[in-house]
Amino acid sequence: MQFESVIGLEVHAQLKTKTKIFCNCSTLFGASPNTHTCAVCLGLPGVLPVLNKKVVEFAMRMAIATNCKIGRKSMWARKNYFYPDLPKGYQISQYEMPIAEFGHVDIEIDNYSKRIGITRIHMEEDAGKLVHDQKRQISFVDLNRAGVPLIEIVSEPDIRTPEEAGAYLRQLRSIVCYIGICDGNLEEGSFRCDANISIRPTGDEKLGTRTELKNLNSFRHVEKALHYEINRQKEVVAGGGRIIQQTRLWDPLKNRTLPMRSKEEAHDYRYFPDPDLLPLVIDEDWIAEVESSLPELPNKKKERFITQYKLPSYDAGVLTSSRELADYFEECVQTFPNPKQVSNWIMGSLLGLLNAENISIEASPISAHHFAQLLELIDKDIISGKIAKTVFEEMAKSGKSPKQIVEEKGLIQLTDKCAIEKIVLNILDQCPQEVEDYKNGKIKLFGFFVGQVMKKTKGKANPQLVNEILNKKLMA
Ligand code: ADP
Ligand code: MG
Ligand code: ZN
C-alpha cells in the first residue's frame, strides 16, 4: 500500500516589543537570570495583567500579512498546567476566539508552488526557562522570559513533505522579519516550531493518528526529524502496528525521535476565559491603519524583481529572502543599472563572503555603493574580472572604496595594445620550444602562453586583448 504523509506546523514567534505582554518588564535577551521580573510576571497573588497594545498591533501585522481574517472581538483564556517555569500555574493564551483565522501563505518548492492554509493566529505569553546543571543534578529557574509576548501560527494539515514544511517555515520566517515583529532566530529560540505528522493511505480523506515533534531548532532539524518520523510510522504500520498519539522529542545527535509523553488533549488544560482580562475589541479603523503601515511583502517583492529587473525566479527568490538584502540589491542597481550582473556578483561573491564569515547583510563590510562601483570598474574595462576578485577581497578586509584600492595597488587593467604586444613577443622569444610544439598542433599550449602574459603583467592585462594578440602572433 502507498502512504502519504500529512504535516501541520505550530510556529511560535517571539515578538520584538520592548516590554512584556502584561507588565512593563524588559524583553531583552541575555540579561542576568530573574532581573527582568516583577510581581506580575512572577505570578504573585493579587496582581492584575495589563495588555501591551503593541503586542496586538504586531499580531495584526502578521494576520494581515498571512491573509487572515482578524476577529473584531477575541478572548483571553487560561491554559492550566503545572511546570516549574510557569509560576502562575497557567499561561494566558487565546483559545476559543483567537485574534485571527482563515489565512494562507503561498510557498514555492523547486518546480511547483502551493498554498498552505493557516488555521489561526493567537497571542500568548511565554513561560520562563529551566537551566539544568547536569553535574550537580539540580535545575535553576530563570523567569526573564516569563511574560514575553508570542504569537502562535497554526497551519492546516496541508503540508505533504518535509521539503514543503521547510519552505513554509522559511516563508513564515521571512514574513515575520519583513514586517519587523520578530527577529526569526531559531537557534536562540525566538522562532520555534512543533511539527505534527501522520501518514495515511494515499487517496484517503481521513487523517491518520499524529505524533507531535518537539525540539526542532533549525530548518535542517525540522526536515530531518520529519523524514525520520515518516519512515518510523511507515515501519510501524508495515509491521502490523498502530501509531500512538504522542509527543516525541528530536535527538539531533542520534538523528532520531524518542517518545516524550502521551499527547495531551485540550481538556487536560482546563481552558477557561481569563476573568482578569476584558475581551479584546479591534475596530476597522485600526485594522486599516496597520494594513497601510505594512511594507512590501516577500512574495510581492519577488514578483516585482522578476518583472522590473528581468531576473530569473531563482535570483529574485534569493535576493528577496530578506528585506535588507533586497534593499542592498536595489541600492546597487541605482548606481550600476545592470540587474543581472549585480545579482550574479551578490549571489556569487558577496553572499559567499557573508556566509563564510557568518555576518548579516546589514553588517556587510562592503557597502552597496562600493559594491556597485566595483561592478562599474569591471564594466568600463578599468579592471579585469580576475583582478576584481582581488579588489573585492581587499574591500572586505579594509572597507576601502574599490577606486582607492585600484589606485593604491596599481591594479588598473593594461589595455595598451602596444605594451601587450611587446610582452607577448618577449614571451614567445623566450619559449621557442613551446612555440614550435604549438605550431606542430599542440594547441593546448595556448593557455600556457596566456598564463605567461598574465604572470608577467600580474594579472592586469586585458584578457581579450591578450587572446587576440597571441592568436595573431602565433599564426605569424
Ligand atoms: P494541539 O494544540 O493539540 O497540538 P491542534 O488541533 O490545534 O492541536 O493541531 C495542531 C496542528 O496539528 C495543526 O497544525 C494541525 O494542522 C495539525 N494536525 C492536526 N491533526 C493532524 C494529523 N492527523 N496529522 C498531521 N497533522 C495534524
Ligand atoms: Mg500542538
Ligand atoms: Zn514583569
Side-chain angles (χ1 to χ4, degrees):
M1 204 189 290
Q2 287 284 357
F3 284 95
E4 69 172 355
S5 44
V6 174
I7 299 166
L9 299 181
E10 295 164 89
V11 171
H12 285 95
Q14 223 174 58
L15 300 179
K16 282 201 297 195
T17 52
K18 286 200 186 70
T19 56
K20 294 186 181 180
I21 181 167
F22 299 118
C23 61
N24 62 8
C25 291
S26 165
T27 56
L28 221 59
F29 181 82
S32 293
N34 299 308
T35 52
H36 293 167
T37 54
C38 71
V40 173
C41 54
L42 289 174
L44 300 187
V47 295
L48 285 173
V50 177
L51 178 60
N52 180 345
K53 188 173 176 185
K54 205 77 189 168
V55 171
V56 182
E57 189 198 311
F58 279 13
M60 287 164 72
R61 289 174 86 89
M62 189 58 179
I64 296 166
T66 54
N67 311 289
C68 286
K69 191 171 165 352
I70 293 178
R72 294 287 303 272
K73 180 175 160 189
S74 69
M75 300 280 287
W76 297 99
R78 291 188 180 179
K79 180 179 181 179
N80 300 279
Y81 63 91
F82 176 77
Y83 206 63
D85 65 6
L86 190 74
K88 292 196 296 292
Y90 60 86
Q91 176 192 28
I92 304 179
S93 179
Q94 295 193 291
Y95 183 59
E96 262 163 308
M97 294 172 79
I99 184 167
E101 290 177 287
F102 314 118
H104 64 259
V105 294
D106 294 323
I107 59 167
E108 228 171 280
I109 323 288
D110 296 338
N111 49 6
Y112 66 99
S113 55
K114 180 167 176 176
R115 177 158 290 183
I116 307 293
I118 296 205
T119 315
R120 54 188 270 142
I121 295 178
H122 67 250
M123 298 170 282
E124 61 189 22
E125 57 179 342
D126 209 345
K129 205 163 63 182
L130 296 185
V131 184
H132 305 289
D133 184 333
Q134 305 290 358
K135 275 200 210 107
R136 289 189 285 167
Q137 294 273 306
I138 51 174
S139 296
F140 299 90
V141 183
D142 176 6
L143 293 174
N144 281 349
R145 204 179 63 184
V148 167
L150 302 174
I151 51 172
E152 177 170 343
I153 306 140
V154 182
S155 87
E156 288 290 301
D158 289 346
I159 299 164
R160 290 289 167 272
T161 63
E163 291 70 30
E164 286 182 11
Y168 168 78
L169 275 181
R170 287 190 177 87
Q171 179 70 3
L172 277 196
R173 196 187 96 106
S174 170
I175 295 172
V176 295
C177 294
Y178 261 69
I179 62 178
I181 63 166
C182 168
D183 60 25
N185 193 324
L186 276 81
E187 281 80 15
E188 278 179 18
S190 57
F191 188 82
R192 317 194 275 267
C193 160
D194 299 335
N196 295 269
I197 166 133
S198 61
I199 56 169
R200 66 181 173 192
T202 308
D204 255 22
E205 291 276 322
K206 207 169 133 278
L207 293 174
T209 304
R210 69 177 147 141
T211 56
E212 178 167 342
L213 310 183
K214 291 194 180 280
N215 195 35
L216 306 172
N217 49 18
S218 79
F219 291 123
R220 249 166 35 93
H221 286 171
V222 173
E223 293 186 25
K224 277 165 88 175
L226 284 171
H227 273 297
Y228 175 90
E229 187 62 14
I230 291 167
N231 284 331
R232 189 192 68 84
Q233 292 190 8
K234 281 184 183 166
E235 276 169 20
V236 170
V237 173
R242 207 168 51 82
I243 307 298
I244 332 170
Q245 182 158 331
Q246 60 183 186
T247 301
R248 298 176 68 90
L249 210 59
W250 170 245
D251 179 345
L253 296 177
K254 300 222 167 78
N255 278 321
R256 62 178 181 190
T257 65
L258 290 172
M260 179 169 132
R261 58 171 186 249
S262 66
K263 172 96 184 78
E264 59 291 305
E265 304 279 347
H267 62 249
D268 294 330
Y269 289 123
R270 295 164 289 127
Y271 280 103
F272 64 88
D274 193 307
D276 288 342
L277 287 157
L278 289 169
L280 171 67
V281 177
I282 295 171
D283 62 26
E284 296 295 338
D285 285 352
W286 195 13
I287 297 176
E289 191 188 313
V290 173
E291 187 162 9
S292 69
S293 74
L294 285 184
E296 183 180 35
L297 295 169
N299 276 350
K300 270 265 167 62
K301 204 185 275 287
K302 181 178 169 189
E303 286 311 311
R304 179 167 66 79
F305 274 31
I306 293 172
T307 48
Q308 183 178 344
Y309 299 117
K310 310 273 178 295
L311 289 176
S313 168
Y314 177 79
D315 295 40
V318 173
L319 295 173
T320 56
S321 61
S322 93
R323 198 171 151 186
E324 292 77 13
L325 183 60
D327 288 347
Y328 190 98
F329 168 82
E330 293 205 282
E331 210 183 316
C332 289
V333 172
Q334 276 185 1
T335 310
F336 182 71
N338 181 336
K340 182 58 183 151
Q341 194 74 351
V342 173
S343 166
N344 288 348
W345 271 82
I346 287 185
M347 296 200 302
S349 301
L350 187 69
L351 290 184
L353 168 84
L354 297 180
N355 288 339
E357 314 254 320
N358 198 14
I359 356 185
S360 65
I361 184 77
E362 301 95 286
S364 168
I366 302 177
S367 71
H369 189 60
H370 283 170
F371 194 74
Q373 279 182 353
L374 177 69
L375 302 190
E376 230 170 22
L377 292 180
I378 306 169
D379 194 58
K380 288 186 179 151
D381 267 342
I382 296 173
I383 56 173
S384 68
K386 191 154 170 269
I387 289 289
K389 292 248 176 339
T390 316
V391 177
F392 175 83
E393 279 162 23
E394 189 57 35
M395 286 162 76
K397 259 187 247 151
S398 66
K400 286 182 186 166
S401 84
K403 282 183 183 147
Q404 189 181 353
I405 293 168
V406 166
E407 274 163 26
E408 279 178 8
K409 304 212 155 189
L411 293 173
I412 292 176
Q413 176 159 251
L414 188 57
T415 48
D416 178 344
K417 261 192 185 179
C418 292
I420 296 178
E421 207 170 83
K422 245 168 97 181
I423 294 166
V424 166
L425 287 174
N426 210 323
I427 284 166
L428 296 185
D429 257 2
Q430 285 166 12
C431 311
Q433 188 59 52
E434 281 84 354
V435 172
E436 173 132 6
D437 289 351
Y438 178 84
K439 287 187 172 165
N440 287 333
K442 211 171 162 192
I443 53 169
K444 270 202 309 205
L445 279 169
F446 194 80
F448 163 80
F449 296 121
V450 174
Q452 292 298 308
V453 179
M454 285 306 179
K455 206 165 141 194
K456 191 90 189 165
T457 58
K458 301 204 172 71
K460 287 185 291 187
N462 176 309
Q464 250 162 315
L465 282 178
V466 173
N467 278 334
E468 220 171 85
I469 293 168
L470 258 175
N471 244 325
K472 219 164 58 197
K473 296 295 168 198
L474 284 166
M475 292 293 193

mmCIF file with all atom_site columns, all heavy atoms in Angstrom, residues 454-467:
data_model
loop_
_atom_site.group_PDB
_atom_site.id
_atom_site.type_symbol
_atom_site.label_atom_id
_atom_site.label_alt_id
_atom_site.label_comp_id
_atom_site.label_asym_id
_atom_site.label_entity_id
_atom_site.label_seq_id
_atom_site.pdbx_PDB_ins_code
_atom_site.Cartn_x
_atom_site.Cartn_y
_atom_site.Cartn_z
_atom_site.occupancy
_atom_site.B_iso_or_equiv
_atom_site.pdbx_formal_charge
_atom_site.auth_seq_id
_atom_site.auth_comp_id
_atom_site.auth_asym_id
_atom_site.auth_atom_id
_atom_site.pdbx_PDB_model_num
ATOM 1   N N   . MET A 1 454 ? 49.897 36.796 -18.279 1.00 0.00 ? 454 MET A N   1
ATOM 2   C CA  . MET A 1 454 ? 49.225 37.243 -17.059 1.00 0.00 ? 454 MET A CA  1
ATOM 3   C C   . MET A 1 454 ? 50.220 37.334 -15.901 1.00 0.00 ? 454 MET A C   1
ATOM 4   O O   . MET A 1 454 ? 50.169 38.236 -15.071 1.00 0.00 ? 454 MET A O   1
ATOM 5   C CB  . MET A 1 454 ? 48.078 36.294 -16.700 1.00 0.00 ? 454 MET A CB  1
ATOM 6   C CG  . MET A 1 454 ? 46.866 36.467 -17.596 1.00 0.00 ? 454 MET A CG  1
ATOM 7   S SD  . MET A 1 454 ? 46.330 38.189 -17.611 1.00 0.00 ? 454 MET A SD  1
ATOM 8   C CE  . MET A 1 454 ? 44.956 38.147 -18.713 1.00 0.00 ? 454 MET A CE  1
ATOM 9   N N   . LYS A 1 455 ? 51.120 36.358 -15.883 1.00 0.00 ? 455 LYS A N   1
ATOM 10  C CA  . LYS A 1 455 ? 52.113 36.351 -14.811 1.00 0.00 ? 455 LYS A CA  1
ATOM 11  C C   . LYS A 1 455 ? 52.984 37.600 -14.907 1.00 0.00 ? 455 LYS A C   1
ATOM 12  O O   . LYS A 1 455 ? 53.210 38.300 -13.922 1.00 0.00 ? 455 LYS A O   1
ATOM 13  C CB  . LYS A 1 455 ? 52.975 35.087 -14.953 1.00 0.00 ? 455 LYS A CB  1
ATOM 14  C CG  . LYS A 1 455 ? 53.588 34.619 -13.652 1.00 0.00 ? 455 LYS A CG  1
ATOM 15  C CD  . LYS A 1 455 ? 54.109 33.203 -13.797 1.00 0.00 ? 455 LYS A CD  1
ATOM 16  C CE  . LYS A 1 455 ? 55.426 33.053 -13.054 1.00 0.00 ? 455 LYS A CE  1
ATOM 17  N NZ  . LYS A 1 455 ? 56.113 31.792 -13.450 1.00 0.00 ? 455 LYS A NZ  1
ATOM 18  N N   . LYS A 1 456 ? 53.401 37.839 -16.108 1.00 0.00 ? 456 LYS A N   1
ATOM 19  C CA  . LYS A 1 456 ? 54.279 38.977 -16.368 1.00 0.00 ? 456 LYS A CA  1
ATOM 20  C C   . LYS A 1 456 ? 53.593 40.300 -15.977 1.00 0.00 ? 456 LYS A C   1
ATOM 21  O O   . LYS A 1 456 ? 54.236 41.207 -15.465 1.00 0.00 ? 456 LYS A O   1
ATOM 22  C CB  . LYS A 1 456 ? 54.608 38.988 -17.880 1.00 0.00 ? 456 LYS A CB  1
ATOM 23  C CG  . LYS A 1 456 ? 55.696 39.948 -18.260 1.00 0.00 ? 456 LYS A CG  1
ATOM 24  C CD  . LYS A 1 456 ? 57.031 39.249 -18.179 1.00 0.00 ? 456 LYS A CD  1
ATOM 25  C CE  . LYS A 1 456 ? 58.161 40.260 -18.335 1.00 0.00 ? 456 LYS A CE  1
ATOM 26  N NZ  . LYS A 1 456 ? 59.455 39.685 -17.902 1.00 0.00 ? 456 LYS A NZ  1
ATOM 27  N N   . THR A 1 457 ? 52.266 40.378 -16.256 1.00 0.00 ? 457 THR A N   1
ATOM 28  C CA  . THR A 1 457 ? 51.563 41.646 -16.002 1.00 0.00 ? 457 THR A CA  1
ATOM 29  C C   . THR A 1 457 ? 50.823 41.618 -14.656 1.00 0.00 ? 457 THR A C   1
ATOM 30  O O   . THR A 1 457 ? 49.963 42.460 -14.400 1.00 0.00 ? 457 THR A O   1
ATOM 31  C CB  . THR A 1 457 ? 50.523 41.915 -17.108 1.00 0.00 ? 457 THR A CB  1
ATOM 32  O OG1 . THR A 1 457 ? 49.607 40.809 -17.137 1.00 0.00 ? 457 THR A OG1 1
ATOM 33  C CG2 . THR A 1 457 ? 51.164 42.071 -18.471 1.00 0.00 ? 457 THR A CG2 1
ATOM 34  N N   . LYS A 1 458 ? 51.131 40.646 -13.838 1.00 0.00 ? 458 LYS A N   1
ATOM 35  C CA  . LYS A 1 458 ? 50.461 40.473 -12.541 1.00 0.00 ? 458 LYS A CA  1
ATOM 36  C C   . LYS A 1 458 ? 48.938 40.434 -12.686 1.00 0.00 ? 458 LYS A C   1
ATOM 37  O O   . LYS A 1 458 ? 48.203 41.003 -11.866 1.00 0.00 ? 458 LYS A O   1
ATOM 38  C CB  . LYS A 1 458 ? 50.852 41.590 -11.569 1.00 0.00 ? 458 LYS A CB  1
ATOM 39  C CG  . LYS A 1 458 ? 52.358 41.639 -11.307 1.00 0.00 ? 458 LYS A CG  1
ATOM 40  C CD  . LYS A 1 458 ? 52.638 42.300 -9.971  1.00 0.00 ? 458 LYS A CD  1
ATOM 41  C CE  . LYS A 1 458 ? 54.108 42.194 -9.581  1.00 0.00 ? 458 LYS A CE  1
ATOM 42  N NZ  . LYS A 1 458 ? 54.986 43.069 -10.429 1.00 0.00 ? 458 LYS A NZ  1
ATOM 43  N N   . GLY A 1 459 ? 48.485 39.785 -13.769 1.00 0.00 ? 459 GLY A N   1
ATOM 44  C CA  . GLY A 1 459 ? 47.046 39.613 -13.968 1.00 0.00 ? 459 GLY A CA  1
ATOM 45  C C   . GLY A 1 459 ? 46.337 40.821 -14.519 1.00 0.00 ? 459 GLY A C   1
ATOM 46  O O   . GLY A 1 459 ? 45.113 40.822 -14.616 1.00 0.00 ? 459 GLY A O   1
ATOM 47  N N   . LYS A 1 460 ? 47.092 41.834 -14.847 1.00 0.00 ? 460 LYS A N   1
ATOM 48  C CA  . LYS A 1 460 ? 46.434 43.087 -15.210 1.00 0.00 ? 460 LYS A CA  1
ATOM 49  C C   . LYS A 1 460 ? 46.102 43.237 -16.698 1.00 0.00 ? 460 LYS A C   1
ATOM 50  O O   . LYS A 1 460 ? 45.375 44.144 -17.077 1.00 0.00 ? 460 LYS A O   1
ATOM 51  C CB  . LYS A 1 460 ? 47.276 44.282 -14.749 1.00 0.00 ? 460 LYS A CB  1
ATOM 52  C CG  . LYS A 1 460 ? 47.206 44.460 -13.233 1.00 0.00 ? 460 LYS A CG  1
ATOM 53  C CD  . LYS A 1 460 ? 47.935 45.690 -12.774 1.00 0.00 ? 460 LYS A CD  1
ATOM 54  C CE  . LYS A 1 460 ? 49.434 45.534 -12.955 1.00 0.00 ? 460 LYS A CE  1
ATOM 55  N NZ  . LYS A 1 460 ? 50.186 46.632 -12.367 1.00 0.00 ? 460 LYS A NZ  1
ATOM 56  N N   . ALA A 1 461 ? 46.685 42.366 -17.529 1.00 0.00 ? 461 ALA A N   1
ATOM 57  C CA  . ALA A 1 461 ? 46.430 42.520 -18.964 1.00 0.00 ? 461 ALA A CA  1
ATOM 58  C C   . ALA A 1 461 ? 44.989 42.196 -19.292 1.00 0.00 ? 461 ALA A C   1
ATOM 59  O O   . ALA A 1 461 ? 44.427 41.270 -18.732 1.00 0.00 ? 461 ALA A O   1
ATOM 60  C CB  . ALA A 1 461 ? 47.359 41.599 -19.745 1.00 0.00 ? 461 ALA A CB  1
ATOM 61  N N   . ASN A 1 462 ? 44.408 42.945 -20.156 1.00 0.00 ? 462 ASN A N   1
ATOM 62  C CA  . ASN A 1 462 ? 43.037 42.688 -20.589 1.00 0.00 ? 462 ASN A CA  1
ATOM 63  C C   . ASN A 1 462 ? 43.000 41.343 -21.322 1.00 0.00 ? 462 ASN A C   1
ATOM 64  O O   . ASN A 1 462 ? 43.658 41.184 -22.352 1.00 0.00 ? 462 ASN A O   1
ATOM 65  C CB  . ASN A 1 462 ? 42.597 43.821 -21.522 1.00 0.00 ? 462 ASN A CB  1
ATOM 66  C CG  . ASN A 1 462 ? 41.221 43.585 -22.082 1.00 0.00 ? 462 ASN A CG  1
ATOM 67  O OD1 . ASN A 1 462 ? 40.925 42.515 -22.620 1.00 0.00 ? 462 ASN A OD1 1
ATOM 68  N ND2 . ASN A 1 462 ? 40.385 44.581 -21.957 1.00 0.00 ? 462 ASN A ND2 1
ATOM 69  N N   . PRO A 1 463 ? 42.271 40.364 -20.794 1.00 0.00 ? 463 PRO A N   1
ATOM 70  C CA  . PRO A 1 463 ? 42.335 39.002 -21.327 1.00 0.00 ? 463 PRO A CA  1
ATOM 71  C C   . PRO A 1 463 ? 41.943 38.917 -22.800 1.00 0.00 ? 463 PRO A C   1
ATOM 72  O O   . PRO A 1 463 ? 42.558 38.171 -23.559 1.00 0.00 ? 463 PRO A O   1
ATOM 73  C CB  . PRO A 1 463 ? 41.324 38.238 -20.481 1.00 0.00 ? 463 PRO A CB  1
ATOM 74  C CG  . PRO A 1 463 ? 41.031 39.086 -19.298 1.00 0.00 ? 463 PRO A CG  1
ATOM 75  C CD  . PRO A 1 463 ? 41.354 40.484 -19.672 1.00 0.00 ? 463 PRO A CD  1
ATOM 76  N N   . GLN A 1 464 ? 40.962 39.710 -23.185 1.00 0.00 ? 464 GLN A N   1
ATOM 77  C CA  . GLN A 1 464 ? 40.543 39.670 -24.590 1.00 0.00 ? 464 GLN A CA  1
ATOM 78  C C   . GLN A 1 464 ? 41.667 40.095 -25.522 1.00 0.00 ? 464 GLN A C   1
ATOM 79  O O   . GLN A 1 464 ? 41.942 39.436 -26.524 1.00 0.00 ? 464 GLN A O   1
ATOM 80  C CB  . GLN A 1 464 ? 39.362 40.615 -24.798 1.00 0.00 ? 464 GLN A CB  1
ATOM 81  C CG  . GLN A 1 464 ? 38.079 39.870 -25.052 1.00 0.00 ? 464 GLN A CG  1
ATOM 82  C CD  . GLN A 1 464 ? 36.901 40.800 -24.815 1.00 0.00 ? 464 GLN A CD  1
ATOM 83  O OE1 . GLN A 1 464 ? 36.868 41.530 -23.811 1.00 0.00 ? 464 GLN A OE1 1
ATOM 84  N NE2 . GLN A 1 464 ? 35.964 40.804 -25.714 1.00 0.00 ? 464 GLN A NE2 1
ATOM 85  N N   . LEU A 1 465 ? 42.330 41.176 -25.138 1.00 0.00 ? 465 LEU A N   1
ATOM 86  C CA  . LEU A 1 465 ? 43.443 41.663 -25.965 1.00 0.00 ? 465 LEU A CA  1
ATOM 87  C C   . LEU A 1 465 ? 44.565 40.643 -26.009 1.00 0.00 ? 465 LEU A C   1
ATOM 88  O O   . LEU A 1 465 ? 45.169 40.415 -27.061 1.00 0.00 ? 465 LEU A O   1
ATOM 89  C CB  . LEU A 1 465 ? 43.964 42.993 -25.411 1.00 0.00 ? 465 LEU A CB  1
ATOM 90  C CG  . LEU A 1 465 ? 43.119 44.223 -25.744 1.00 0.00 ? 465 LEU A CG  1
ATOM 91  C CD1 . LEU A 1 465 ? 43.728 45.470 -25.103 1.00 0.00 ? 465 LEU A CD1 1
ATOM 92  C CD2 . LEU A 1 465 ? 43.054 44.410 -27.261 1.00 0.00 ? 465 LEU A CD2 1
ATOM 93  N N   . VAL A 1 466 ? 44.841 40.025 -24.876 1.00 0.00 ? 466 VAL A N   1
ATOM 94  C CA  . VAL A 1 466 ? 45.914 39.027 -24.824 1.00 0.00 ? 466 VAL A CA  1
ATOM 95  C C   . VAL A 1 466 ? 45.608 37.903 -25.800 1.00 0.00 ? 466 VAL A C   1
ATOM 96  O O   . VAL A 1 466 ? 46.460 37.490 -26.595 1.00 0.00 ? 466 VAL A O   1
ATOM 97  C CB  . VAL A 1 466 ? 46.069 38.468 -23.386 1.00 0.00 ? 466 VAL A CB  1
ATOM 98  C CG1 . VAL A 1 466 ? 47.063 37.307 -23.370 1.00 0.00 ? 466 VAL A CG1 1
ATOM 99  C CG2 . VAL A 1 466 ? 46.526 39.565 -22.433 1.00 0.00 ? 466 VAL A CG2 1
ATOM 100 N N   . ASN A 1 467 ? 44.376 37.402 -25.760 1.00 0.00 ? 467 ASN A N   1
ATOM 101 C CA  . ASN A 1 467 ? 43.973 36.338 -26.671 1.00 0.00 ? 467 ASN A CA  1
ATOM 102 C C   . ASN A 1 467 ? 44.162 36.757 -28.123 1.00 0.00 ? 467 ASN A C   1
ATOM 103 O O   . ASN A 1 467 ? 44.735 36.024 -28.933 1.00 0.00 ? 467 ASN A O   1
ATOM 104 C CB  . ASN A 1 467 ? 42.497 35.980 -26.457 1.00 0.00 ? 467 ASN A CB  1
ATOM 105 C CG  . ASN A 1 467 ? 42.343 35.036 -25.272 1.00 0.00 ? 467 ASN A CG  1
ATOM 106 O OD1 . ASN A 1 467 ? 43.267 34.305 -24.929 1.00 0.00 ? 467 ASN A OD1 1
ATOM 107 N ND2 . ASN A 1 467 ? 41.186 35.082 -24.650 1.00 0.00 ? 467 ASN A ND2 1
#
